[in-house]
Amino acid sequence: MTQQKAKKTRLSIDRLLHTSLATPHTRIVTCGLLVGIVFSPLWLYDVVVGTFHGSASLILVAASVLGGYQLWTQRSQLAKRNASEEDQLLGHIIIVSGVGLAPFCFFSEWSQKLVWILILAGIALSSWGISFFKRYPMPAFLIGIGFFPQPTAVGKAVWDAFTPPEMLERFMAWSGGLGLQAIGHSATIRETIISLPGGSVRVDWGCSGFDMASIIAVASLVLGLFLKQSLPKVSLMVVIGIILALLSNVPRIMLMAMAEAYWGRESFEFWHGFWGGQIFSSILFTIYYYVVMAIVKGRSVKAKA
């Protein structure tokens, strides 16, 4: 029985290799896919480490998987599509360009993912033609955003380009200070520093809530598309997610300020570190879940009516 399985496996591998090398098109596509195979261990490491540090890596993977699944459900229709000679030539040029750039991208995650997006676009173009992107815009978008390099970093660059320095950090320090004053603490606020009688904390960029707002915005987009909501509904989910993320960051800042002032450094490090962040993230996503379900159910009720 084991020998039969081994024989079937060898035959399957032989058929796969034969198919992959059968034509110039399949050879070029296979060459492009090998780049993704080579880069995949680096991306897996990034997903594991990034998830533990609060990045959107796992959510982006979910977006890419969702896009791939949507294409898989349309595989019979895709098999009937053919690219024109011009589209195939252009796609091959894009794939070869991506493969040529790959050796220079091993030390930069964003360049690896941009090269991979380039190769995937070339494969789609050379296999199914430019009309593929018009016929299947949502799966293409989800796969593209799934490999989007560091959305939080890109978002920060855009934010810094259009807002005054430390705008969000100062707003969060001001909000946290007002919150402490509202519950009876004699807190003073100076720029990004909250001071209590027993100590002070500085609200830096990492504590501004922007990263969590970016993550929940991406999660909202993926969830809305997965639940097949309308564009206004998805936009509402994204906006609500961002607002909740920023609002939930205020009590966390208040708690860290009190921990630093009254409970000792170890307490501050706990709430400032991984586990404290996970506690607040869990609370945030629980609240967000019920809000989103209310939005979705509201749509279902209207649809039935």
Side-chain angles (χ1 to χ4, degrees):
M1 193 70 176
T2 305
Q3 290 180 348
Q4 289 180 348
K5 288 183 178 180
K7 185 177 180 180
K8 288 182 179 179
T9 303
R10 286 196 299 270
L11 289 174
S12 298
I13 293 173
D14 289 341
R15 282 197 294 268
L16 179 62
L17 288 174
H18 181 267
T19 303
S20 301
L21 304 175
T23 66
H25 169 67
T26 57
R27 287 194 285 271
I28 293 174
V29 169
T30 301
C31 191
L33 293 175
L34 286 174
V35 172
I37 294 173
V38 172
F39 283 155
S40 58
L42 302 174
W43 296 336
L44 180 61
Y45 174 81
D46 170 67
V47 169
V48 174
V49 174
T51 300
F52 277 102
H53 286 82
S55 77
S57 301
L58 193 59
I59 297 172
L60 294 178
V61 170
S64 187
V65 170
L66 177 59
Y69 173 74
Q70 290 181 352
L71 286 183
W72 176 254
T73 60
Q74 302 293 323
R75 59 189 181 278
S76 57
Q77 286 79 10
L78 287 172
K80 300 174 184 178
R81 303 182 69 88
N82 293 307
S84 66
E85 291 184 4
E86 294 80 6
D87 288 346
Q88 190 169 85
L89 176 60
L90 180 58
H92 289 167
I93 293 173
I94 293 173
I95 296 170
V96 172
S97 300
V99 172
L101 290 171
F104 304 98
C105 301
F106 274 95
F107 302 102
S108 174
E109 179 198 348
W110 69 267
S111 59
Q112 292 170 16
K113 292 185 175 180
L114 287 179
V115 163
W116 183 236
I117 291 173
L118 189 71
I119 289 173
L120 288 178
I123 291 173
L125 180 61
S126 61
S127 300
W128 304 306
I130 192 66
S131 60
F132 163 82
F133 298 99
K134 299 177 182 178
R135 180 68 179 81
Y136 303 99
M138 191 55 64
F141 172 75
L142 287 172
I143 292 173
I145 198 174
F147 287 98
F148 191 79
Q150 297 296 345
T152 52
V154 175
K156 182 180 185 303
V158 174
W159 177 270
D160 289 342
F162 294 98
T163 60
E166 296 185 331
M167 175 181 170
L168 187 57
E169 296 95 312
R170 294 187 183 205
F171 175 76
M172 282 295 162
W174 175 77
S175 301
L178 288 185
L180 288 168
Q181 292 171 5
I183 60 175
H185 293 275
S186 56
T188 58
I189 310 157
R190 183 171 60 86
E191 296 181 349
T192 61
I193 298 174
I194 303 174
S195 298
L196 289 168
S200 302
V201 293
R202 178 191 298 275
V203 180
D204 292 323
W205 176 258
C207 298
S208 67
F210 186 90
D211 287 353
M212 180 52 67
S214 301
I215 292 170
I216 203 168
V218 174
S220 302
L221 177 62
V222 175
L223 182 62
L225 296 175
F226 176 75
L227 296 175
K228 298 180 180 179
Q229 300 297 294
S230 63
L231 182 58
K233 291 279 188 179
V234 175
S235 302
L236 179 61
M237 290 165 62
V238 171
V239 171
I240 289 176
I242 292 172
I243 292 173
L244 285 175
L246 295 177
L247 287 177
S248 69
N249 194 54
V250 175
R252 187 184 181 197
I253 291 173
M254 294 167 58
L255 185 59
M256 287 191 292
M258 290 188 292
E260 174 69 17
Y262 307 133
W263 306 328
R265 192 65 186 177
E266 289 185 2
S267 178
F268 171 82
E269 291 297 339
F270 174 83
W271 291 109
H272 185 259
F274 172 77
W275 288 111
Q278 291 304 308
I279 291 172
F280 273 91
S281 297
S282 300
I283 296 171
L284 167 63
F285 276 99
T286 300
I287 296 171
Y288 177 70
Y289 168 79
Y290 286 107
V291 173
V292 167
M293 287 300 102
I295 294 173
V296 173
K297 289 179 180 178
R299 179 198 178 212
S300 300
V301 170
K302 289 182 179 179
K304 290 180 181 178

